[in-house]
C-alpha cells in the first residue's frame, strides 16, 4: 500500500491580500498622504537650500562657459528674470524637483508597499532592492546629465555664430536643466522595469534575448525623442548607458529564470507521491546501449 502523498504545507494567506475594495482605497489614500507629506518636507528643505548652495550649483554649468556664450553683468555671471514672479516660480520649481529626488526612497517605498499585498511571498522580498535600485539609477542618470550639461550648452549656444549676444533667462535655463535631469533619470529607470517584470514572471529571458536588437534600436529612438537638446552628443550619451543597462537586465533575467526553473523542478519533486516516478535526468546514458553482463 502506497504511503501518504507528500505535499508541501501551503503558506498561510496574507491578510492584506484579502482586503476589501474600501480597505484598499483607504490604504491608497494613507500612502499617498504619507508620500505627499514627505515630498512637502523635502521641498521645504530644498527651498531653503536654494539660497545656500543649490542655486549656485545649478548655475555652475552655464557660468562655466566662455564669456562670449553667457551673460556677464556687473556682479558676474547671472540669469535674466523678465517678470515679477519669475524668481519665485524658479525657486519653487527647483525646490520641488530637489524635494522629489530627496524623498524618492520614501515615496517609492510607499508605492511598493501598496503593490506588495498582491504579490507572492517570494516576490515581496525584492521591495528593498527595488527602492534602492530605483533611487540609485535615477541619481546616476541625473549626475550623468549634469556632467554633460556644460558640453551640451557649449555645443548648442556656439551654433548661434558671431555677432549674437546670448543672455539666457532664468525660466528658460532652469526649465532646460530640469527637463534634462528628469529625462536622464527616468531613462535609467526603464531597464529596471524589465527586471521587475521578469521577477514577477511576466517577462521571460527568452523574450528579452530574442528582442535584443529591437530593444537597442528603440532605445536610440527613445533617446532621440526624450533628450531636450536633440543633439547627437546628448542622445548618444543617454542611449549608451541605457543599452548597457538593458544588457545587464537581460543577463539578470537569464539568472532569475534558471533559478526559477530549478525551484519549480524541486517543488514538483516534493509534490510527488510514493507511487509516482521522480523526474530523473532525461538525457540518455552510455549504459542504455551497453549489453547486459548476463547476456549471451
Amino acid at each position: 500500500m502506497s504511503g501518504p502523498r507528500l505535499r508541501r504545507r501551503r503558506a498561510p494567506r496574507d491578510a492584506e491580500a484579502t482586503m476589501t475594495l474600501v480597505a484598499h482605497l483607504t490604504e491608497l489614500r494613507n500612502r499617498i498622504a504619507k508620500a505627499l507629506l514627505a515630498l512637502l518636507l523635502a521641498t521645504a528643505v530644498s527651498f531653503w537650500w536654494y539660497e545656500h548652495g543649490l542655486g549656485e550649483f545649478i548655475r555652475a554649468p552655464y557660468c562655466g562657459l566662455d564669456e562670449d556664450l553667457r551673460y556677464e553683468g556687473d556682479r558676474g555671471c547671472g540669469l535674466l528674470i523678465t517678470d515679477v514672479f519669475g524668481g519665485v516660480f524658479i525657486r519653487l520649481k527647483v525646490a520641488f524637483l530637489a524635494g522629489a529626488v530627496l524623498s524618492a526612497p520614501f515615496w517609492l517605498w510607499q508605492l511598493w508597499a501598496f503593490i506588495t499585498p498582491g504579490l507572492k511571498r517570494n516576490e515581496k522580498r525584492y521591495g528593498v532592492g527595488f527602492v534602492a535600485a530605483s533611487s540609485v539609477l535615477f541619481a546616476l542618470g541625473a549626475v550623468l546629465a549634469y556632467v554633460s550639461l556644460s558640453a551640451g550648452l557649449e555645443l548648442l549656444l556656439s551654433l548661434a555664430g558671431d555677432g549674437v549676444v546670448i543672455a539666457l533667462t532664468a525660466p528658460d535655463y532652469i526649465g532646460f536643466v530640469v527637463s534634462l535631469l528628469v529625462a536622464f533619470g527616468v531613462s535609467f529607470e526603464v531597464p529596471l522595469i524589465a527586471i521587475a517584470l521578469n521577477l514577477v514572471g511576466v517577462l521571460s529571458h527568452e523574450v528579452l534575448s530574442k528582442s535584443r536588437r529591437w530593444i537597442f534600436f528603440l532605445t536610440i529612438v527613445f533617446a532621440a525623442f526624450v533628450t531636450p537638446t536633440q543633439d547627437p552628443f546628448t542622445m548618444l550619451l543617454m542611449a549608451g548607458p541605457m543599452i548597457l543597462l538593458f544588457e545587464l537586465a537581460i543577463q539578470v533575467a537569464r539568472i532569475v529564470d534558471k533559478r526559477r526553473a530549478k525551484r519549480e523542478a524541486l517543488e514538483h519533486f516534493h509534490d510527488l507521491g510514493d507511487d509516482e516516478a521522480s523526474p530523473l535526468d532525461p538525457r540518455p546514458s552510455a549504459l542504455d546501449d551497453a549489453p547486459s553482463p548476463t547476456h549471451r
Side-chain angles (χ1 to χ4, degrees), residues 139-191:
L140 287 177
V143 168
L144 181 60
Y146 184 83
V147 171
S148 64
L149 190 57
S150 295
L153 282 172
E154 184 175 2
L155 175 64
L156 294 175
L157 295 179
S158 61
L159 295 177
D162 298 331
V164 177
V165 178
I166 299 176
L168 295 181
T169 63
D172 291 339
Y173 175 75
I174 297 298
F176 171 77
V177 172
V178 169
S179 59
L180 189 67
L181 295 179
V182 172
F184 268 76
V186 172
S187 66
F188 275 42
E189 302 278 354
V190 178

Side-chain angles (χ1 to χ4, degrees), residues 201-236:
V202 176
L203 192 60
S204 66
H205 167 260
E206 183 179 2
V207 174
L208 287 172
S209 181
K210 290 182 178 179
S211 307
R212 180 184 274 109
R213 293 183 179 180
W214 278 106
I215 291 174
F216 294 167
F217 172 74
L218 292 177
T219 298
I220 297 175
V221 174
F222 173 81
F225 278 97
V226 170
T227 49
T229 60
Q230 302 295 321
D231 63 282
F233 172 78
T234 308
M235 182 194 71
L236 293 177

Side-chain angles (χ1 to χ4, degrees), residues 44-121:
V45 173
S46 301
F47 190 85
W48 171 86
W49 184 22
Y50 182 87
E51 198 64 29
H52 297 79
L54 181 59
E56 183 179 353
F57 176 77
I58 293 177
R59 293 189 298 268
Y62 173 70
C63 293
L65 298 175
D66 296 334
E67 293 185 0
D68 57 341
L69 295 178
R70 56 182 171 83
Y71 173 76
E72 191 75 20
D74 296 336
R75 294 185 296 177
C77 172
L79 298 169
L80 299 179
I81 294 179
T82 58
D83 60 278
V84 176
F85 296 100
V88 177
F89 290 147
I90 289 302
R91 188 164 180 174
L92 285 175
K93 181 184 292 187
V94 174
F96 178 78
L97 175 64
V101 174
L102 292 177
S103 61
F106 184 82
W107 57 259
L108 282 173
W109 176 257
Q110 294 298 321
L111 173 64
W112 184 262
F114 178 74
I115 299 174
T116 293
L119 301 178
K120 298 178 182 178
R121 178 164 299 182

